[in-house]
Amino acid sequence: MTDGKKKRTHVIRKPPKAPPPKWNPRIVVFACNWCSYAGADTAGVSRIQHQPHFRMIRVMCSGRIQPGFVLRAFERGADGVLVSGCHFGDCHYVNGNERAVEQFEKTMNIVKLLGLEEGRLRLEWISAAEGARFAQVINEFTDQVRDLGPSPLNGQNHTEKTQTEST
Amino acid sequence: MPELAEAARRTNAWACYDCGKCTASCPIARIGGNYSPRRHVLATNLGHREDIIENGTLSSCLTCKLCDQRCPAQVGYTQLVQQLRELSHREGVEPECPHGGALQSLMRMMAKGGTQQDRMNWLGKDLETDAAKGEVFYFTGCTMYYDTFFPEFQLNTLNGTRAAVRLLNRLGVKPVVSPTERCCGHDLLWNGDRKNFELLAKHNVQMVVDSGAEVLVTSCAECLRTWKIDYEPFYTGKMPRMMHITEYLTDPNYGGPNLKYKAGEQRRITFQDPCRLGRHLGIYDPPRKALTALPGVELTEMRRSGSGAMCCAGGTWSNCDRFAKQIQVQRLREARETGAEVLATACPKCQVHFRCAMKDPNLGGEIEIEMRDVAELVADALE
């Protein structure tokens, strides 16, 4: 008798439809010391709201971000990687960001060969004053990666899965 | 340390009588590197772990096998290095990976799997292949990644790969080129990462067995060595015969007389023996036969060739340093001394490393020489 009562109250208290838990991506943001990192700081001090699902890695110049960095991030479980630096002409080291473009293009081509979606990797120029733009880029990119879902390299059983698929 | 004793037993290191021929012939030691194979063999025999693992020179070895060739006591030093690197990898010591470890990351991601790699796009429309079943399996290797990763070298290792498939087509073979292929794991194994190597090995062996192939052909010397020697513990069922493309082309049962060439201009070609093909597998003649069969080709050997050939000094993505650069420059000078117009090779890695050396702004003109894969030269001479 008491059991039945308990059950009923449980049913009543349960919300009609539980919203599915929202999956949040893990994003790695590489930011240069002089522009993008300061841009993120501007977003912070100006209290501009943005999604918080990223980890930021500060480098002295975007030209330093070689394919190995990005690939290592994907290997270690990043669902998306954002590379950011100063606008053209604004680079603290004159043309480091031109070097960044070369490196980025190479990385993008490798990522495509590897079979990861292009949308998981992005290059953006964000200056120190562009706090609002930083927030906007982060929001856009986070939504984009969320739509793509978890990185195919992240599944625990992916190796077995693809092996059986291929056989 | 019991692991060291075991490694010494397996590689015959106990037989070392300390003559030092290995160090005397080691390319790295000869060019001035602080590197001594003999010291590693002795330390292994004595069980001196710190001399091997903490001393930091283990990743300098080119694994070119020149010392094995010269050793009067048949110590398998190259095999010993492979095992010592595994040991030091287990202890958390890894080589300083050139290129920021990007290539190692790539290989580990392939080992993990989960994505559909873009492994077929290079084929184009005129080449005929089958994605699943066939008598001949063509193991592509990672040339598409090299061409993408080194755009600054104007590298085109994919041309060699394409040429190999074109030659197979000409011989009436429609080879299997599988979209599920993954890196053979050669470099991971030689960096000491056995765990990820095994994942790749099992995947690739299963893929080839499932294709029902009788012959596996590859144009990469490293892939061939890995398939023939390092994959052996993973063989299942009926394994195909494994051949380098130059072996396939010169074998009377397969290629041999069936290829017809057009008359070509007189030209001189020299051949770089890849260490994996030559000293590791003992394949010296087939690439030479394939080249001399071409009309108008005069093959001139470099000062050091065959079993004494100098390696491209970058085999395992772990040892690119100033000594490697000097070795490459020396080798390119040798190639230029022959008066050859073309430096042919049978391993895409040789091309990557020599082309990198040619980028030296101070020497560029002096050591520049056209580099082609043997398969490319053969395919270009077809009627």
Side-chain angles (χ1 to χ4, degrees), chain A residues 66-77 102 105-106 108-116 151-155 157-160 162-163 166-167, chain B residues 94 97 99-106 108-119 144-145 148-152 180 182 199 202-203 206-207 210:
Chain A
Q66 59 193 59
F69 290 12
V70 176
L71 294 175
R72 178 64 69 98
F74 281 123
E75 185 202 335
R76 294 289 182 89
E102 281 171 31
E105 281 170 0
K106 204 194 257 193
M108 183 56 109
N109 289 336
I110 295 272
V111 162
K112 280 195 256 177
L113 274 178
L114 197 58
L116 284 169
S151 159
L153 291 164
N154 276 350
N157 300 318
H158 273 311
T159 320
E160 283 79 22
T162 38
Q163 263 170 6
S166 66
T167 50
Chain B
E94 283 182 56
C97 308
H99 314 295
L103 294 142
Q104 277 83 353
S105 271
L106 254 180
R108 283 192 295 263
M109 282 192 267
M110 284 194 220
K112 223 176 194 181
T115 61
Q116 177 55 58
Q117 291 180 58
D118 177 10
R119 274 197 173 262
M144 66 292 275
Y145 284 96
T148 312
F149 197 79
F150 300 107
E152 60 273 28
T180 60
R182 294 186 194 164
L199 288 173
K202 284 175 191 158
H203 172 88
Q206 195 57 50
M207 170 188 73
D210 290 343

Side-chain angles (χ1 to χ4, degrees), chain B residues 54-76:
Chain B
E54 277 145 34
N55 151 307
T57 57
L58 199 58
S59 59
S60 304
C61 176
L62 307 177
T63 64
C64 74
K65 227 175 176 177
L66 194 61
C67 52
D68 287 27
Q69 198 81 29
R70 306 263 160 89
C71 177
Q74 278 93 46
V75 174

Side-chain angles (χ1 to χ4, degrees), chain B residues 261-275:
Chain B
Y261 304 112
K262 60 186 177 206
E265 277 174 40
Q266 205 65 30
R267 63 194 165 142
R268 203 180 270 184
I269 293 179
T270 186
F271 179 67
Q272 160 70 17
D273 285 274
C275 55

Side-chain angles (χ1 to χ4, degrees), chain B residues 49-354:
Chain B
R49 185 190 150 279
E50 60 287 351
D51 271 2
I52 298 165
I53 289 164
E54 277 145 34
N55 151 307
T57 57
L58 199 58
S59 59
S60 304
C61 176
L62 307 177
T63 64
C64 74
K65 227 175 176 177
L66 194 61
C67 52
D68 287 27
Q69 198 81 29
R70 306 263 160 89
C71 177
Q74 278 93 46
V75 174
Y77 179 73
T78 311
Q79 202 54 37
L80 181 67
V81 165
Q82 200 190 64
Q83 292 181 17
L84 295 178
R85 284 189 186 170
E86 257 173 54
L87 204 64
S88 62
H89 188 270
R90 275 209 297 276
E91 302 209 2
V93 183
E94 283 182 56
E96 277 179 45
C97 308
H99 314 295
L103 294 142
Q104 277 83 353
S105 271
L106 254 180
M107 290 182 274
R108 283 192 295 263
M109 282 192 267
M110 284 194 220
K112 223 176 194 181
T115 61
Q116 177 55 58
Q117 291 180 58
D118 177 10
R119 274 197 173 262
M120 308 289 275
N121 211 11
W122 56 272
L123 273 166
K125 281 181 189 141
D126 54 329
L127 299 174
E128 287 180 26
T129 60
D130 193 302
K133 300 253 174 214
E135 282 193 2
V136 176
F137 193 102
Y138 181 70
F139 194 80
T140 320
C142 295
T143 44
M144 66 292 275
Y145 284 96
Y146 298 159
D147 287 2
T148 312
F149 197 79
F150 300 107
E152 60 273 28
F153 299 161
Q154 287 88 43
L155 197 63
N156 218 334
T157 52
L158 265 177
N159 278 354
T161 316
R162 282 193 200 98
V165 176
R166 196 171 342 130
L167 286 164
L168 290 172
N169 282 172
R170 179 62 69 95
L171 291 166
V173 175
K174 195 174 164 191
V176 184
V177 174
S178 173
T180 60
E181 183 184 316
R182 294 186 194 164
C183 165
C184 70
H186 170 275
D187 304 313
L188 286 180
L189 179 68
W190 288 96
N191 288 175
D193 187 353
R194 181 161 275 277
K195 197 181 111 229
N196 284 309
F197 166 76
E198 286 185 0
L199 288 173
L200 291 168
K202 284 175 191 158
H203 172 88
N204 283 330
V205 167
Q206 195 57 50
M207 170 188 73
V208 168
V209 168
D210 290 343
S211 74
E214 314 244 306
V215 185
L216 177 131
V217 179
T218 174
S219 35
C220 174
E222 293 186 336
C223 293
L224 189 66
R225 151 149 189 144
T226 310
W227 269 98
K228 274 192 156 171
I229 299 173
D230 302 310
Y231 276 9
E232 213 185 318
F234 308 100
Y235 287 175
T236 55
K238 193 180 144 289
M239 291 305 294
R241 183 174 172 196
M242 295 153 202
M243 300 170 100
H244 190 257
I245 182 75
T246 57
E247 283 183 285
Y248 191 89
L249 293 178
T250 49
D251 193 303
N253 297 325
Y254 302 107
N258 302 325
L259 289 169
K260 298 274 176 288
Y261 304 112
K262 60 186 177 206
E265 277 174 40
Q266 205 65 30
R267 63 194 165 142
R268 203 180 270 184
I269 293 179
T270 186
F271 179 67
Q272 160 70 17
D273 285 274
C275 55
R276 264 56 187 162
L277 201 61
R279 283 186 292 268
H280 282 246
L281 294 169
I283 301 169
Y284 298 107
D285 290 340
R288 291 184 165 78
K289 263 195 224 162
L291 284 173
T292 44
L294 306 180
V297 166
E298 182 198 342
L299 185 70
T300 45
E301 294 290 354
M302 283 184 261
R303 195 156 51 80
R304 292 174 287 185
S305 68
S307 63
M310 192 50 56
C311 126
C312 75
T316 59
W317 301 129
S318 65
N319 41 25
C320 182
D321 53 16
R322 65 200 160 108
F323 304 119
K325 278 281 153 288
Q326 284 187 53
I327 292 170
Q328 287 153 9
V329 169
Q330 262 190 13
R331 188 59 171 165
L332 285 169
R333 282 193 202 280
E334 272 179 42
R336 285 285 295 262
E337 277 166 24
T338 60
E341 296 153 47
V342 179
L343 173 58
T345 183
C347 178
K349 282 266 187 77
C350 294
Q351 278 202 56
V352 172
H353 294 116
F354 283 131

Side-chain angles (χ1 to χ4, degrees), chain A residues 5 12 24 54 74 143:
Chain A
K5 205 177 179 184
I12 290 164
N24 289 318
F54 63 95
F74 281 123
D143 289 340

